[in-house]
Amino acid sequence: MKQLVFLFFFISLSLQAQFQLNGIVKDSKTEKPLPFATLKTKKGNSTITDVDGKFHFTWNNQPENLTISYVGYESKTISFSEIKPFFIIYLTPKTNELREVAVSNINLANSIITKVIEQKDKNNPQKKLHSFQFKSYNKLLITANPDSIKGKIDTVFVNTISKGKIKKIDSSDYKFKKNIVKQHLFLTEKVSLFQYEKPLLKETILGTKMAGFKEPIYELLGFGLQSFSIYDDNYELFETNYKSPISSKSLKEYRFKILDTTSVNNRDVIVIYFKNKISNKGLEGLLYIDKENYAIAKTVMRIRGVLDITGIHEFIYLNDEKVWFPIRKNFKILKGKSKEPISILGGRIAFAAEDDELNTTKKSASDFTYLSSDMHAFDLKINTNLKIKKSSIAIDVNANANSRDDTFWKENRLDSLDSRSERTYFVLDSVVTKQKIEKKIRFGRKIINGYAPFGPFDFDLRHLLSYNNFEGFRLGIGGITNEQFSKKFRLEGYTAYGLKDETSKYNIGTALRIGHFSNTWIGGSYTNDVREIASTNFAIDKRVFKLYDPRPINISTFYNYKTWRGYIETKLIPKTESIWQISHSDITPLFDYAFNYNGKLYREYTMTTAMVSLQWNPLSDYMQTPSGKTEFEKRFPKFTFEVTKSLSHFLNNDFDFGKIDVRIEYEKKYLNGQKSSILMQAGYVFGAIPLTHLYNTSPNNLTNDKILRRITIAGKNSFETMYFNEFFSSDYVMMQFKHGLKRIKLFQKVKPSLVLVTRMAWGNLQHPERHIGIQYKTLDQGFFESGIELNQIYKGFGLTGFYRYGSNQLPRFEDNIAIKLSFVLDLGF
């Protein structure tokens, strides 16, 4: 029996025996790394160095001679009498020839790239082919190479003299290495059907498995790692767009150099190295270009910064169609050079900061963690009679995708899972179940939207406690039934009581789901509550988590509304969410005000209105999952429209009027942590409408003489130097520009985020004589303020300062200054 066990052990070692070669290729004079040098064996195996000149070569046979070549350098052949952990290989430049070769290659490379650009439409499968479809198998994992980690077991040193000093070596690296040898940190697989009918490309997920989760996190399935096509002017890598090296203006942005000639699919190709002309900006990598038709046969796209990211595209040549078709994509992300700790994918990958310029900081085991995604295409069909259903959905997840059996996976996996992957499923399934991670994720999602789930009911956190100058402290309770109660029917409501006005408020409503794909609900409600006068609220706006809403704290002017409401909310129109409603309201201003209309003073009035509120995200991508439709790829700009029209002579409606509100949002995030945003909002009223329903453009300043007595909490998009009830408008436009810099480390726990802000607004008020009892100004000469937000100085708390200028600047200098506190809540979800 022992001999049999030994035999199996020997066979397993023989089967797994592979020879690995790791090293770096450098210039012998400058000792600078040589990116994308070619390494070849006599038997035809080859690889290239990465942008840092490093290589990792694996082959199954006995070690043999290896030839290293690089344009402008003497080739070098080395033999292996012994295998070392790491090789440093120096190449000698051809002094006399290098200058001529370099000049020649630059000119020739540019000429080739020019032809590639000219032939793009003829070589782009999505331009040349009318339709195609294929299946794909994708495996995404988060893991580390155990051989890179120097883990040591706990060791105790005792000072032989004092006998009292004991030093314990940290064993975290050892434990990490021990675990990573056996399993990955995370693993997910999916099998998809891609269908293309010019110009639409759609992915249908046929099967998916996510280690540890009974139901996958659908957002991860649609995570944008790299572009599908390499022929577009912009290339996306890790949700960041870069100018493509074969875009129409790439010769102005990139340098090109011929490195080598080789073959792909038995066709001769030229290997061209490219790099952005501006250091540390844009892409860097390789283009494998077909000599005959100047099509792309393979690409390597790379960016180096706080993260090192590589995207590789491989193609197969279709002889009948005479086109290179994408057959494989590979994506890898690992830590780059960063002065701050980095965390991505909800903290599943975390890297420590580098503390010094010499980069001598000792790497922890987790710094070797990386994310890898590999996609293979198969069952390719070209120019078939294809008709894409639900074309507005970019990703459609089959209802049974998460319940596929082993037979399905054996049929669609190109290779069987290795032992590490199998153990990953086993271990993570146990860990997630034991630690109730799925329940925690569900709880986190509810909290972000302002709810606390409790069985079949989600308590609404907004109603627990709030404060304003009219109601004082407002105490309440309320919520809505969730999917555990019913997926087709819901009840909602709340009740609240103001300690200062000593009045109860309440709401009750119900809705029925009548469309699954469109997530359409039809419902009704009754509300008796108060609202700030002249405030602008879009009914379609999503809820966000707020411990408090800072603006109402100092607001004194409200009106009471008793409203019956019938509505339909739906996502039926592609790339939109909308609410269609009819409401009947009895309005009572809770301040000294009367509306003079047709010779009559109205201190109370009735409004019956029809309203459509719609948000349109034209560049976003949507995913249809078994639980509903979701916006998984959020892109800007985003447009919000709301149209309200009174229904004349219907249910005792008093006034004939209409309102049109528009909002445009744009946001751009940068990989280094900076963010720019633009907000434009406008409103227009026609007809007779009381001041309670006009516009105040969100003021947030108190009318106190001293600056320190005006210190309150800053709002998100409010005018911090504009006083409450200072301006009213029947038509207006406002703009806001923000640019947030990355956080600056002043001390260990003091890391403020600096945001530069400018706001401006213009407006007008038609028929001012109709509004009696309140003093105000108009915005016909414009309102301007700029300032700085120093957020998250300590534990979410910050400080902001703004200055008011322009035609509406106040005579006293100090009255134009507003200093506010800020608070940013980081839930960590």
Side-chain angles (χ1 to χ4, degrees), residues 536 538 660-664 680-684 695 732-734:
T536 302
F538 289 87
I660 301 174
D661 295 281
V662 179
R663 182 177 62 203
I664 303 174
M680 193 282 286
Q681 192 166 303
Y684 177 74
Y695 304 108
Y732 81 101
V733 59
M734 69 84 69

Side-chain angles (χ1 to χ4, degrees), residues 558-570:
F558 287 80
Y559 65 90
N560 172 258
Y561 64 100
K562 299 175 182 178
T563 300
W564 291 94
R565 170 177 174 252
Y567 66 91
I568 296 176
E569 60 181 46
T570 182

Side-chain angles (χ1 to χ4, degrees), residues 605-793:
Y605 33 87
T606 299
M607 292 182 175
T608 304
T609 60
M611 184 204 71
V612 177
S613 184
L614 182 146
Q615 181 167 315
W616 178 44
N617 308 324
L619 301 182
S620 294
D621 286 332
Y622 288 82
M623 177 188 296
Q624 183 71 38
T625 73
S627 57
K629 189 186 300 184
T630 181
E631 182 188 6
F632 74 93
E633 192 75 48
K634 297 180 180 180
R635 297 191 181 98
F636 291 87
K638 294 176 177 288
F639 302 90
T640 307
F641 307 93
E642 189 165 289
V643 179
T644 305
K645 181 65 178 70
S646 64
L647 303 179
S648 300
H649 311 296
F650 183 66
L651 296 178
N652 299 318
N653 176 63
D654 285 325
F655 312 121
D656 184 18
F657 66 89
K659 291 181 70 176
I660 301 174
D661 295 281
V662 179
R663 182 177 62 203
I664 303 174
E665 301 168 272
Y666 180 80
E667 185 178 292
K668 181 175 178 59
K669 293 182 179 180
Y670 306 93
L671 199 58
N672 60 5
Q674 298 189 55
K675 181 172 75 171
S676 299
S677 63
I678 300 174
L679 170 67
M680 193 282 286
Q681 192 166 303
Y684 177 74
V685 169
F686 54 92
I689 187 169
L691 182 140
T692 51
H693 289 67
L694 293 178
Y695 304 108
N696 62 15
T697 58
S698 297
N700 194 30
N701 203 12
L702 299 176
T703 54
N704 288 323
D705 291 336
K706 303 295 183 182
I707 294 177
L708 295 181
R709 295 183 64 184
R710 294 200 301 269
I711 294 179
T712 56
I713 300 176
K716 182 180 180 182
N717 300 317
S718 54
F719 283 84
E720 304 300 335
T721 61
M722 183 184 293
Y723 296 104
F724 289 107
N725 299 331
E726 184 179 4
F727 297 94
F728 289 99
S729 305
S730 58
D731 47 87
Y732 81 101
V733 59
M734 69 84 69
M735 298 186 72
Q736 173 183 271
F737 303 91
K738 282 189 176 185
H739 181 76
L741 305 174
K742 63 181 181 180
R743 299 184 69 174
I744 304 170
K745 183 179 179 181
L746 299 180
F747 304 101
Q748 184 63 31
K749 293 185 178 181
V750 180
K751 302 175 182 178
S753 171
L754 180 65
V755 182
L756 308 177
V757 185
T758 292
R759 299 187 181 99
M760 57 195 73
W762 296 267
N764 187 33
L765 182 63
Q766 303 289 341
H767 302 290
E769 71 280 359
R770 291 177 176 175
H771 309 290
I772 301 173
I774 188 170
Q775 299 297 316
Y776 58 86
K777 295 186 289 186
T778 60
L779 288 169
D780 53 301
Q781 294 183 352
F783 187 95
F784 305 88
E785 71 174 22
S786 295
I788 296 175
E789 297 179 356
L790 207 58
N791 298 323
Q792 295 175 286
I793 297 175

Side-chain angles (χ1 to χ4, degrees), residues 149-376:
I149 303 169
K150 296 180 180 180
K152 294 182 179 180
I153 197 168
D154 287 358
T155 308
V156 177
F157 296 91
V158 181
N159 190 303
T160 56
I161 298 176
S162 65
K163 300 295 183 181
K165 295 181 179 179
I166 299 175
K167 183 178 181 182
K168 189 174 182 181
I169 302 298
D170 182 18
S171 64
S172 58
D173 285 4
Y174 170 78
K175 294 177 180 177
F176 184 83
K177 180 173 182 176
K178 186 178 179 181
N179 287 330
I180 208 68
V181 166
K182 298 178 181 178
Q183 68 182 74
H184 305 297
L185 299 176
F186 178 74
L187 172 65
T188 183
E189 299 175 275
K190 69 174 179 178
V191 175
S192 300
L193 173 66
F194 282 86
Q195 295 176 302
Y196 174 78
E197 182 186 17
K198 192 181 292 187
L200 299 174
L201 178 67
K202 179 180 178 180
E203 177 185 3
T204 301
I205 298 178
L206 306 176
T208 179
K209 290 181 70 174
M210 189 170 289
F213 295 89
K214 294 179 181 178
E215 184 175 9
I217 303 174
Y218 291 110
E219 292 84 349
L220 286 180
L221 298 180
F223 198 69
L225 298 177
Q226 61 193 122
S227 292
F228 178 83
S229 174
I230 50 88
Y231 285 100
D232 297 332
D233 277 353
N234 290 320
Y235 179 82
E236 184 177 0
L237 204 56
F238 198 51
E239 298 197 319
T240 303
N241 282 322
Y242 300 90
K243 187 65 68 176
S244 169
I246 58 171
S247 66
S248 56
K249 298 181 180 180
S250 63
L251 291 172
K252 295 181 180 180
E253 190 162 340
Y254 288 95
R255 291 190 178 94
F256 299 92
K257 181 179 181 180
I258 294 178
L259 290 186
D260 202 357
T261 58
T262 184
S263 65
V264 178
N265 282 180
N266 296 318
R267 291 178 66 87
D268 293 334
V269 298
I270 303 169
V271 185
I272 292 183
Y273 168 69
F274 65 88
K275 185 176 183 179
N276 197 280
K277 291 181 179 179
I278 301 176
S279 180
N280 298 323
K281 180 183 178 182
L283 296 166
E284 181 179 7
L286 295 178
L287 298 171
Y288 291 70
I289 299 171
D290 190 313
K291 283 185 177 181
E292 181 180 332
N293 57 17
Y294 297 98
I296 303 298
K298 181 180 178 180
T299 63
V300 179
M301 303 286 197
R302 175 92 180 264
I303 57 172
R304 292 189 294 175
V306 293
L307 298 172
D308 277 1
I309 307 173
T310 303
I312 300 176
H313 297 252
E314 297 183 21
F315 298 76
I316 186 173
Y317 188 72
L318 306 178
N319 288 298
D320 293 340
E321 290 77 15
K322 299 189 183 303
V323 67
W324 287 90
F325 192 86
I327 201 69
R328 183 182 180 186
K329 290 197 304 181
N330 180 269
F331 175 91
K332 189 173 183 180
I333 179 171
L334 63 157
K335 183 188 176 184
K337 296 180 179 179
S338 175
K339 298 299 179 184
E340 296 182 0
I342 304 166
S343 178
I344 62 173
L345 291 187
R348 286 191 176 275
I349 300 184
F351 305 112
E354 295 175 356
D355 294 329
D356 51 66
E357 295 294 333
L358 298 176
N359 193 21
T360 57
T361 304
K362 180 183 177 181
K363 288 188 175 182
S364 64
S366 61
D367 281 332
F368 294 99
T369 304
Y370 64 87
L371 178 147
S372 176
S373 173
D374 207 8
M375 187 274 279
H376 292 264

Side-chain angles (χ1 to χ4, degrees), residues 108-139:
L108 181 56
N110 285 355
S111 176
I112 294 172
I113 293 299
T114 299
K115 292 179 180 179
V116 171
I117 296 171
E118 291 173 351
Q119 300 294 320
K120 276 173 59 174
D121 287 350
K122 294 181 179 179
N123 292 320
N124 184 354
Q126 289 175 267
K127 296 283 188 179
K128 189 170 186 176
L129 303 176
H130 174 72
S131 67
F132 58 77
Q133 74 173 32
F134 61 87
K135 286 185 178 180
S136 71
Y137 168 75
N138 178 261
K139 180 167 71 173

